[in-house]
Amino acid sequence: MEISEKAPAKLNFSLDTPFRHPDGNPEWKMVMIAVDLADYVHIKTKTDSKDITVRTDTGFLPCDERNLAFQAAKKLQQLFHKNEGVEITIDKNIPVSAGMGGGSSDAAAVLRGLNKLWNLSLEKSQLAKIGLEIDSDVPFCIYSEPALVTGKGEIITPIGDLEPMCLVIAKPHDSVSTPSILKKIDYSKIVHQNVDGVLDAISKRDYTEMTKKMGNALEPITAERHPDIWKIKQKMLNFGCDAAQMSGSGPTVFGVCRKYQRAVRVYNGLRGFCNEVYIVRPFSLKE
Ligand code: ATP
């Protein structure tokens, strides 16, 4: 039996962390969206062995238990005492270690796919809870629709559709390790973000207000080590984006435009400076 799942990238429209839990994990308060830049994950169950295999078209991603898609299959296989093996093939399009949740989205796709192939009938909230044990972005990726994300990443509250908009995504050459940035958060200095303001603007369908209130509390921490982030952000604003900021722990920067023509202008302006640039739209997996 086999199934293919779309695994969309995510962006953080608003990112804040109110405090650190005693176990070291940040408490999150974020507005997250999925976009139509996606990996495609093909999942096949097999009865002849219990092996889990992962193949990707990248040549550099680990395909063993370090791969988050592998971990997702292993978790469900163990939890539900399945004797079947799983073959996973990932068509990778989302930049790696970019702050776009690519690995988490692949893992979420495997959880969604095996939930169907093995008739587990798990609710999204149950898959999210299992996903949290893999990475804090997996619960959001199970939903992949505009949402408020709180707790350690496991409390997902969908917030409805966004106004039409285009997003220009630029990935600087450097990669960023999320744990190294999270360790650097100093809660006595952090600049808290107006997450409620973004939620309010989205609920009122007020695009302009939303772009004014967006922000990412991790941006100054990552940008201190990767100053290209400031430069790309400034270029996006100069070329006409209504807002521009880093996603997740970076280093990817995205700009928001209402109209496609404006996004194309920003895209053309950035291409000489940054070799990975995309124009995308918000995407929702909501049925
Ligand atoms: P985060 O969700 O931690 O912000 P990110 O979007 O910045 O992650 P990813 O592309 O998910 O970054 O990669 C983070 C790490 O996960 C990398 O070290 C990568 O090798 C590893 N990884 C494991 N499985 C995958 C996968 N299927 N796709 C991409 N990266 C993976």
Side-chain angles (χ1 to χ4, degrees):
M1 295 234 287
E2 57 184 293
I3 196 166
S4 293
E5 289 281 330
K6 182 166 175 164
K10 62 85 181 169
L11 295 175
N12 299 80
F13 268 21
S14 184
L15 185 155
D16 196 25
T17 168
F19 59 90
R20 200 189 288 284
H21 288 273
D23 66 5
N25 285 307
E27 168 72 18
W28 295 114
K29 187 168 180 187
M30 312 188 275
V31 174
M32 289 173 72
I33 72 150
V35 296
D36 58 7
L37 170 64
D39 294 344
Y40 290 86
V41 183
H42 312 285
I43 307 146
K44 198 169 170 182
T45 52
K46 47 183 188 174
T47 48
D48 56 340
S49 92
K50 280 185 71 176
D51 291 350
I52 296 169
T53 56
V54 176
R55 251 184 266 132
T56 77
D57 52 359
T58 63
F60 59 86
L61 270 179
C63 288
D64 51 18
E65 57 284 341
R66 288 170 295 169
N67 196 295
L68 303 189
F70 183 107
Q71 292 173 24
K74 187 87 196 162
K75 235 175 213 335
L76 281 193
Q77 192 192 48
Q78 285 177 339
L79 272 173
F80 295 93
H81 309 290
K82 290 287 171 188
N83 286 319
E84 294 184 359
V86 187
E87 266 177 33
I88 300 165
T89 308
I90 305 173
D91 300 333
K92 196 85 201 146
N93 299 308
I94 305 172
V96 175
S97 295
M100 299 179 72
S104 297
S105 197
D106 295 346
V110 170
L111 294 178
R112 282 196 307 268
L114 287 178
N115 188 36
K116 293 173 199 156
L117 292 176
W118 285 338
N119 295 314
L120 301 174
S121 305
L122 297 169
E123 301 282 341
K124 283 183 187 170
S125 58
Q126 293 172 291
L127 291 175
K129 214 167 159 195
I130 296 168
L132 182 68
E133 292 173 28
I134 301 167
D135 187 275
S136 62
D137 280 338
V138 180
F140 168 77
C141 294
I142 293 286
Y143 289 73
S144 286
E145 61 180 294
L148 168 68
V149 178
T150 52
K152 293 176 188 172
E154 78 284 17
I155 307 170
I156 312 297
T157 311
I159 56 174
D161 295 330
L162 300 174
E163 286 294 280
M165 66 183 81
C166 283
L167 302 152
V168 185
I169 294 177
K171 156 85 173 59
H173 187 259
D174 300 351
S175 292
V176 163
S177 144
T178 303
S180 72
I181 300 299
L182 300 189
K183 260 190 242 145
K184 290 208 127 217
I185 302 172
D186 177 346
Y187 282 87
S188 67
K189 290 196 190 134
I190 195 164
V191 181
H192 289 293
Q193 300 298 314
N194 187 356
V195 183
D196 291 331
V198 174
L199 287 170
D200 189 48
I202 291 174
S203 76
K204 290 193 303 214
R205 307 195 74 100
D206 188 336
Y207 169 87
T208 308
E209 189 69 9
M210 182 198 78
T211 55
K212 280 190 195 146
K213 303 259 163 84
M214 287 169 63
N216 180 343
L218 301 181
E219 192 177 277
I221 304 172
T222 309
E224 197 188 337
R225 293 181 186 181
H226 303 276
D228 272 0
I229 290 170
W230 297 131
K231 290 185 196 152
I232 294 171
K233 213 179 132 163
Q234 199 49 54
K235 279 183 192 289
M236 284 181 166
L237 294 171
N238 292 347
F239 286 123
C241 285
D242 299 309
Q245 71 187 44
M246 190 182 83
S247 181
S249 55
T252 294
V253 181
F254 67 94
V256 189
C257 306
R258 221 197 244 284
K259 294 272 186 294
Y260 180 71
Q261 287 90 330
R262 177 73 60 93
V264 171
R265 197 167 86 195
V266 179
Y267 174 91
N268 287 333
L270 279 167
R271 270 208 317 175
F273 187 70
C274 225
N275 54 9
E276 266 192 274
V277 190
Y278 309 85
I279 299 178
V280 302
R281 289 184 192 273
F283 170 82
S284 173
L285 270 186
K286 182 175 60 173
E287 283 108 35

